[in-house]
Amino acid sequence: MAVGLALLLALTQQAPALTSYQAVVRCAGLTQAASELAGGEGAEGRALMDAALYWSLTAMQAAAAAGRSAEAAEADQTRARVQAVRLLSAGDAEAQAALRQCRSRVPALD
């Protein structure tokens, strides 16, 4: 709960300057997929879960700003996650690089 509140606070204070809703949804999908594949174990798993939560909240905020419904935003994230699971599971270099970039844009929660 505390992590979620810290992420929400960070989201409202340091939203990343991405160029599109689709880019935010892609980061949400990539981080959710990586978190799912990691299983949430250890420091890396927790960091991926935090990143996934951050990008999911960011995507919902971007969707609201764009006039999209919460249901449409959730569906967009689900599609992005499913695609990202396939790509990351296959070792796709572009998806792995995009995941690293998305993770680098998550604000520090210290």
Side-chain angles (χ1 to χ4, degrees):
M1 181 72 155
V3 171
L5 292 174
L7 284 169
L8 186 56
L9 180 60
L11 173 65
T12 60
Q13 294 177 347
Q14 302 175 351
L18 292 178
T19 58
S20 68
Y21 169 74
Q22 289 75 24
V24 173
V25 169
R26 183 165 192 224
C27 281
L30 284 164
T31 54
Q32 289 169 19
S35 176
E36 180 180 318
L37 292 169
E41 298 297 320
E44 179 69 7
R46 287 188 299 276
L48 285 167
M49 286 180 14
D50 288 347
L53 178 58
Y54 172 79
W55 282 113
S56 179
L57 292 170
T58 301
M60 295 305 282
Q61 187 177 49
R68 293 180 184 258
S69 70
E71 294 81 13
E74 288 176 13
D76 291 342
Q77 288 183 60
T78 298
R79 281 189 294 276
R81 181 186 51 77
V82 168
Q83 180 182 25
V85 165
R86 289 182 189 135
L87 293 171
L88 292 173
S89 294
D92 184 87
E94 182 185 341
Q96 291 171 349
L99 174 61
R100 284 190 298 275
Q101 182 181 33
C102 292
R103 290 186 69 187
S104 74
R105 299 184 85 134
V106 175
L109 301 174
D110 314 305

